[in-house]
Amino acid sequence: MITLFAAGAGFGLPEISPYVTKTEVQLKMAGLDYRKTQGSRETAPKGQLPWIEDCAQAIGDSTFIRAHIEQKYDVDLDVGLSGKERAQAWAIERMIENQLGWVSTCFRFLEPANFARGPGRWFDRAPEVMRDDLRRGLLEAVAGNVRAVGVGRHLSEEVVWLGSLSLRSLDELLEDKAYLMRDSHPVGVDATAFAVLAGILTPFFDSPLRCEAESYPRLVEYVGRMMARFYPAHPWGLRQAA
């Protein structure tokens, strides 16, 4: 059986990490049996979550995990899509992961109130004398990464504007379909979109990006639809979009 190494539930989400969520949903889409366990970046093959172990083979990074399960188990997560649509799905995924995901990270980690309520609590069980240093180290590492990709170089209102462009694009692409590429069924990119949008919309964090996302009723309903399909036992309550 495949073992999925994850961060675990939290922040009002069935899984803290959007990239673990992406992989877990894709495993569900593929109909593969797996067990989920607490993972550590220190033991991960690429120093990040998620990673999986499959027949003693360790695979890191959600994109390479998808490639592994499609190739090994003869699964096509984009079944029914044309070559052009597959290209569009890849482009959408890159927009989400390489832009919107970093914008979301910015507000989750770099807004002091959100950090204190969320990621900053990860060290509550560490020895008291170490907690502040651990929190400072995490914050500096994330801030460095966010700055390196460019998002962290902008004013808060500029970061919101960048995020709003992606949210508007996703809303336009979704239109009145149930899922991004097909009305009938979700495909691989839906796992990515759902994971990042749920992380933005969770009521656990307050941010101007969340307010922006809530202004798109179709996106709010899309996340609710995906949550009900892939995590039916998870309580998910959102304010109604305006």
Side-chain angles (χ1 to χ4, degrees):
M1 182 181 290
I2 294 169
T3 299
L4 171 63
F5 293 88
F11 305 161
L13 299 162
E15 169 57 49
I16 288 172
S17 165
Y19 300 99
V20 175
T21 303
K22 167 190 170 183
T23 290
E24 184 167 31
V25 169
Q26 290 178 345
L27 286 167
K28 291 173 183 282
M29 286 179 176
L32 297 175
D33 290 332
Y34 68 95
R35 72 181 187 95
K36 186 176 178 181
T37 190
Q38 191 78 27
S40 167
R41 289 174 174 82
E42 286 71 28
T43 58
K46 295 188 176 182
Q48 61 185 11
L49 298 174
W51 65 284
I52 65 167
E53 188 172 77
D54 187 11
C55 297
Q57 183 181 4
I59 302 99
D61 189 278
S62 61
T63 300
F64 288 96
I65 293 170
R66 173 183 174 174
H68 169 80
I69 63 176
E70 287 188 310
Q71 292 166 13
K72 180 172 180 178
Y73 296 100
D74 193 24
V75 173
D76 182 5
L77 295 180
D78 285 344
V79 64
L81 299 191
S82 67
K84 182 177 181 179
E85 288 170 329
R86 289 170 189 265
Q88 291 169 335
W90 174 250
I92 294 167
E93 185 166 309
R94 293 304 90 212
M95 175 188 72
I96 295 168
E97 291 195 350
N98 295 348
Q99 199 261 17
L100 186 58
W102 284 110
V103 171
S104 177
T105 296
C106 188
F107 288 104
R108 180 181 288 195
F109 283 85
L110 303 186
E111 285 286 332
N114 285 340
F115 180 81
R117 187 163 187 250
R121 300 296 303 274
W122 292 343
F123 306 108
D124 283 358
R125 294 185 180 180
E128 188 172 357
V129 295
M130 299 173 58
R131 290 174 196 166
D132 286 345
D133 285 342
L134 290 169
R135 290 178 180 127
R136 191 179 304 110
L138 173 63
L139 202 53
E140 289 174 355
V142 173
N145 288 336
V146 172
R147 183 172 176 81
V149 298
V151 172
R153 300 173 185 272
H154 308 306
L155 298 174
S156 178
E157 55 268 30
E158 293 174 327
V159 176
V160 175
W161 181 77
L162 288 173
S164 73
L165 295 180
S166 291
L167 291 170
R168 187 185 315 149
S169 297
L170 287 172
D171 182 67
E172 290 290 342
L173 290 164
L174 181 63
E175 299 177 304
D176 293 319
K177 303 188 299 298
Y179 306 105
L180 276 173
M181 306 302 295
R182 285 287 185 273
D183 196 46
S184 56
H185 64 279
V187 296
V189 69
D190 286 291
T192 307
F194 161 65
V196 173
L197 287 171
I200 292 169
L201 284 165
T202 175
F204 190 87
F205 295 117
D206 282 322
S207 75
L209 183 66
R210 175 186 162 193
C211 292
E212 181 70 21
E214 287 178 331
S215 72
Y216 291 97
R218 293 186 297 197
L219 294 183
V220 173
E221 292 167 4
Y222 168 75
V223 171
R225 189 179 306 119
M226 290 286 289
M227 190 71 76
R229 180 168 184 147
F230 293 103
Y231 296 98
H234 182 74
W236 180 247
L238 297 177
R239 294 199 300 264
Q240 291 298 311

